[in-house]
Amino acid sequence: MDMKQFIELVAKRGYGIYGKETIEKMAKDAGISLSPTGVAISGNVEAAARKFFDAYSKTTPVAAMNLKMMAKMHNIKL
Amino acid sequence: MIDYEKDPVLIRGTEDIWWVGFGDKKVGFANNPYLIIDEDEAMLIDPGPRGRFYKIVHNKVAKALKGDFEKIKYMAVQHEDPDLCASLPLFAQIVDENVKLYVQTRTAAFMPYFEYEGAMVTIEDGDKMSFKSGRELTFITTPYVHFAGSNVIYDSKTKTLFSSDIFGAFSVDWNLYANEYYLEAMKAFGEPYFGDHRSVASAMEKFEKLDIERICPQHGSIIDGKENVKNAIEVVKEMTVGQWV
């Protein structure tokens, strides 16, 4: 799984927990565009991912736990 | 207009099952105690935590019962997490003095640590209880999902499965009924908290034998409708559990 696919997975999970609107805004602020066809990133993928994951983790301890869990499952280094 | 902060909510498709819980945005959790009112008797399932949360649940139960707490002749605790049962001794003081607490043997051992000193009926897999009306509830054990003493309760009258933490979810953006994104939120809870695929599969196998119209989990949202129930079971079966090992 590459970073874009992982972002998509985290976002999808986030829709259920935080609502689609919240996640889409969080992603947009990080320079990530989420759409039904996938993830588009205008700048550096790693930097955008880091920004998105930071915002995601800060929402609740539950979010941070889930992000860690998914990263472990998919062998992604945060 | 329902005020989810203050009002008990009658579960869609039933005439006598009430949601008396609360959403906790800070943690990203909804806690869902349920109240079955069967004629002049009631059962409170997983009464919930203490503190300000107890007050919320207490006030909702009071509204649903029109203040008559003594109608509660039965309580059930589906496992020993404090978010499910820390308020047990508080409710025990106000419900019928002969209240029976239904609890699995392996969970019963922990009830004294919640300062619950009332009567307990210990249950095992397939045990039943009946209201005076003849309505029957079946207790189904789900060992290690996610406690050794976990069980769920099936109400054959309404085809409702009270599923404890199974099918639960983390939800900041909470709805009483599951929406299109719920199955992902359910994974967010199940994956970190369920330890072993064999125990999950065993529980799902038991549920597949039941005729379930709705699932009422202890956290997250109610899964309504047979097709949605079937999809939820499939998702739990495929969950990647035990990943912290």
Side-chain angles (χ1 to χ4, degrees), chain B residues 201 203-212 233-234 237:
Chain B
M204 294 307 115
E205 200 178 304
K206 290 178 181 182
F207 300 161
E208 282 178 321
K209 290 176 186 160
L210 301 171
D211 183 11
I212 304 171
I233 289 174
E234 287 305 317
K237 273 161 87 173

Side-chain angles (χ1 to χ4, degrees), chain B residues 22 33 44-51 53-55 57-58 61 75 77 81-95 114-116:
Chain B
F22 57 90
L44 182 59
I45 299 175
D46 294 332
R50 290 190 181 215
F53 301 117
Y54 168 68
K55 286 180 190 160
V57 178
H58 170 280
V61 172
M75 293 196 284
V77 165
D81 258 342
D83 55 337
L84 272 75
C85 61
S87 67
L88 198 54
L90 303 174
F91 275 107
Q93 287 170 19
I94 55 175
V95 300
F114 289 103
E115 297 174 336
Y116 178 77

Side-chain angles (χ1 to χ4, degrees), chain B residues 146-165:
Chain B
H146 61 111
F147 279 85
S150 295
N151 73 270
V152 300
I153 299 171
Y154 178 68
D155 173 26
S156 50
K157 180 186 171 186
T158 60
K159 299 179 179 174
T160 301
L161 183 73
F162 299 96
S163 66
S164 186
D165 279 2

Side-chain angles (χ1 to χ4, degrees), chain B residues 7-240:
Chain B
D7 295 333
V9 182
L10 188 62
I11 303 298
R12 197 159 65 199
T14 79
E15 296 171 344
D16 50 19
I17 301 176
W18 296 82
W19 172 80
V20 289
F22 57 90
D24 182 358
K25 288 198 172 197
K26 202 174 167 189
V27 179
F29 236 8
N31 280 267
N32 303 326
Y34 298 98
L35 181 72
I36 302 174
I37 306 177
D38 190 80
E39 299 177 358
D40 61 344
E41 295 184 305
M43 174 185 269
L44 182 59
I45 299 175
D46 294 332
R50 290 190 181 215
R52 67 187 176 91
F53 301 117
Y54 168 68
K55 286 180 190 160
I56 297 170
V57 178
H58 170 280
N59 292 344
K60 290 187 178 191
V61 172
K63 274 190 182 179
L65 292 171
K66 297 182 174 60
D68 187 4
F69 280 96
E70 293 202 1
K71 260 193 178 180
I72 299 179
K73 313 287 184 198
Y74 315 102
M75 293 196 284
V77 165
Q78 299 187 102
H79 65 267
E80 65 266 34
D81 258 342
D83 55 337
L84 272 75
C85 61
S87 67
L88 198 54
L90 303 174
F91 275 107
Q93 287 170 19
I94 55 175
V95 300
D96 187 293
E97 61 179 356
N98 295 313
V99 67
K100 287 179 182 168
L101 173 69
Y102 288 87
V103 64
Q104 206 200 126
T105 319
R106 287 168 291 289
T107 295
F110 294 94
M111 291 301 104
Y113 296 112
F114 289 103
E115 297 174 336
Y116 178 77
E117 292 165 354
M120 283 192 273
V121 180
T122 52
I123 54 99
E124 284 300 346
D125 197 34
D127 284 353
K128 296 174 192 295
M129 70 76 66
S130 295
F131 290 90
K132 276 196 303 195
S133 67
R135 179 188 197 159
E136 212 168 57
L137 302 180
T138 305
F139 299 94
I140 299 159
T141 60
T142 56
Y144 312 114
V145 195
H146 61 111
F147 279 85
S150 295
N151 73 270
V152 300
I153 299 171
Y154 178 68
D155 173 26
S156 50
K157 180 186 171 186
T158 60
K159 299 179 179 174
T160 301
L161 183 73
F162 299 96
S163 66
S164 186
D165 279 2
I166 308 172
F167 306 104
F170 285 119
S171 42
V172 174
D173 182 37
W174 174 80
N175 299 289
L176 183 57
Y177 294 97
N179 63 17
E180 63 196 295
Y181 304 114
Y182 186 73
L183 298 179
E184 282 296 320
M186 209 171 71
K187 287 184 197 169
F189 181 76
E191 284 174 353
Y193 282 93
F194 301 160
D196 163 65
H197 185 70
R198 193 164 65 110
S199 53
V200 172
S202 159
M204 294 307 115
E205 200 178 304
K206 290 178 181 182
F207 300 161
E208 282 178 321
K209 290 176 186 160
L210 301 171
D211 183 11
I212 304 171
E213 194 62 54
R214 70 189 60 74
I215 295 173
C216 293
Q218 189 52 36
H219 302 295
S221 306
I222 294 168
I223 300 165
D224 200 12
K226 284 186 182 176
E227 199 54 37
N228 292 330
V229 167
K230 196 177 159 197
N231 290 340
I233 289 174
E234 287 305 317
V235 166
V236 175
K237 273 161 87 173
E238 297 301 320
M239 264 183 198
T240 311

Side-chain angles (χ1 to χ4, degrees), chain A residues 12-13 15-20 60 62 65-66 68-69 72-73, chain B residues 27 170-173 181 184-185 187-188 191-192 240 243-245:
Chain A
K12 202 173 154 195
R13 182 73 51 99
Y15 289 168
I17 306 173
Y18 303 102
K20 196 164 183 270
T60 63
V62 161
M65 175 185 72
N66 257 279
K68 275 186 191 169
M69 165 66 80
K72 190 174 192 290
M73 278 166 61
Chain B
V27 179
F170 285 119
S171 42
V172 174
D173 182 37
Y181 304 114
E184 282 296 320
K187 287 184 197 169
E191 284 174 353
T240 311
Q243 288 297 298
W244 289 127
V245 175

